Amino acid sequence: MAVDLNAIKAEYTRLESAGQSNFLDNFVPMPDGEGSVVLRLLPPRSGVLPFVATRTHKINGRNFHCPMNLINNKWQGTCPICNHYRSLWKQSDTAGKEEADALQAEARAIKPVERYYWNTIVRTLTNKQGQVEHNVGPKIFSCGKQLQSKLLRAMTGDEVIGREQLGDVTDVEGTEGRDLQVIKRMVKGGGDEKYPNYNESVFKNPSPAGDEEEVATWLENLHDLNSLRRIVTQEELAREVRIHRGQEKDTDTAFDGGTINIEADETK
């Protein structure tokens, strides 16, 4: 029996029109402008860390996950975009001021940006139909390096400033679990641009995550956070660098490397 290409085309159209939108529905929607959202960070699906770390590059108008991996607190591996990024900074060390400024601006445009993904429950959410829902999820919370650092510092404490550790805020069975209020403020960066800042975000007092049935359902439906890191080949990344440098023509303007940056928070 011959393949029905019209049916194939119809399915392709459906996926293209709905797939990306449906995928983004898995993520915590952050407020437009200033505002806040209350979350309950959930324990890991597997392993010992409740989050997944990645780095992303924006180059040629597209986003790519950096293939380097966080091992023993260091990003290790090989990445053609990172190599070019470091090369630009090295060249700027011996260049005149005007050229150095241009090289550094180019480097900043393609720099690796750290992102972190957590499984979470959104305590209150207004859906697309305008209805208010409670305890929605699990959804994926995406945050940047500064907010991630704040979360981990709260969990582990800080002896320098005398901050007591909160412990395992993802606890859903004991007494350490806490809700997190993510507070978004818009702050002025360079020039007239404004960026989201989350420094006012705070963990609330310990509280139950939910009843036993709710918690069991959440834990059964945790997202595979590692699957969010869609890594393309070294040659594909090297090609993006060649396109960026004008050494090769860009013939693919539709591809996106699969990164998720819900908010480019705390960018300077």
Side-chain angles (χ1 to χ4, degrees):
M1 181 181 294
V3 170
D4 186 344
L5 292 181
N6 287 329
I8 297 275
K9 183 177 180 180
E11 175 62 7
Y12 171 74
T13 301
R14 182 189 71 82
L15 290 174
E16 286 296 293
S17 62
Q20 182 69 358
S21 175
N22 291 342
F23 179 65
L24 292 178
D25 286 345
N26 291 320
F27 286 79
V28 175
M30 297 303 295
D32 293 329
E34 298 191 341
S36 68
V37 59
V38 178
L39 309 175
R40 185 60 170 244
L41 302 178
L42 296 175
R45 185 170 183 253
S46 61
V48 296
L49 293 177
F51 58 86
V52 164
T54 189
R55 299 201 304 183
T56 65
H57 295 280
K58 186 165 186 178
I59 187 170
N60 304 323
R62 296 184 285 273
N63 296 305
F64 297 89
H65 281 284
C66 178
M68 298 180 72
N69 295 301
L70 188 59
I71 302 172
N72 297 325
N73 299 318
K74 291 183 179 181
W75 291 99
Q76 300 183 33
T78 301
C79 172
I81 302 177
C82 285
N83 291 344
H84 185 53
Y85 167 76
R86 288 190 291 267
S87 173
L88 291 168
W89 277 105
K90 187 174 181 179
Q91 291 176 57
S92 73
D93 289 340
T94 57
K97 184 179 186 311
E98 185 174 341
E99 182 183 1
D101 288 345
L103 290 167
Q104 292 174 16
E106 181 185 353
R108 292 189 184 97
I110 64 170
K111 70 179 181 180
V113 178
E114 293 190 23
R115 300 298 301 177
Y116 299 87
Y117 302 135
W118 299 70
N119 273 296
T120 188
I121 294 299
V122 184
R123 287 307 197 190
T124 303
L125 176 66
T126 302
N127 63 27
K128 294 179 179 179
Q129 290 72 42
Q131 302 166 326
V132 176
E133 300 181 74
H134 300 285
N135 291 336
V136 182
K139 286 189 174 290
I140 301 164
F141 176 51
S142 170
C143 69
K145 184 176 181 179
Q146 288 188 8
L147 179 54
Q148 177 77 358
S149 179
K150 182 180 179 68
L151 301 182
L152 301 187
R153 185 169 61 249
M155 293 174 69
T156 59
D158 191 329
E159 294 182 0
V160 175
I161 61 176
R163 176 175 293 169
E164 181 182 357
Q165 70 176 32
L166 301 184
D168 182 9
V169 297
T170 72
D171 178 25
V172 293
E173 298 176 344
T175 59
E176 293 183 274
R178 299 169 182 255
D179 285 357
L180 167 67
Q181 183 174 13
V182 180
I183 301 173
K184 176 185 174 184
R185 302 293 185 207
M186 300 303 295
V187 298
K188 190 173 181 180
D192 295 326
E193 293 183 280
K194 288 188 175 182
Y195 298 96
N197 180 280
Y198 299 93
N199 285 342
E200 296 178 36
S201 300
V202 62
F203 281 106
K204 298 189 174 185
N205 291 330
S207 63
D211 61 38
E212 289 187 11
E213 184 176 351
E214 285 178 313
V215 170
T217 299
W218 298 340
L219 296 182
E220 288 175 3
N221 291 281
L222 293 174
H223 294 277
D224 179 3
L225 300 177
N226 284 298
S227 70
L228 299 175
R229 296 191 69 224
R230 180 185 171 195
I231 307 297
V232 302
T233 66
Q234 293 281 317
E235 175 53 34
E236 288 176 275
L237 295 177
R239 177 176 177 270
E240 292 298 327
V241 173
R242 294 194 298 271
I243 292 170
H244 175 74
R245 300 180 68 186
Q247 298 172 338
E248 184 173 330
K249 185 177 180 180
D250 189 356
T251 58
D252 183 2
T253 59
F255 176 77
D256 189 287
T259 71
I260 299 299
N261 288 331
I262 297 300
E263 298 241 335
D265 60 325
E266 306 133 338
T267 302
K268 300 299 181 185

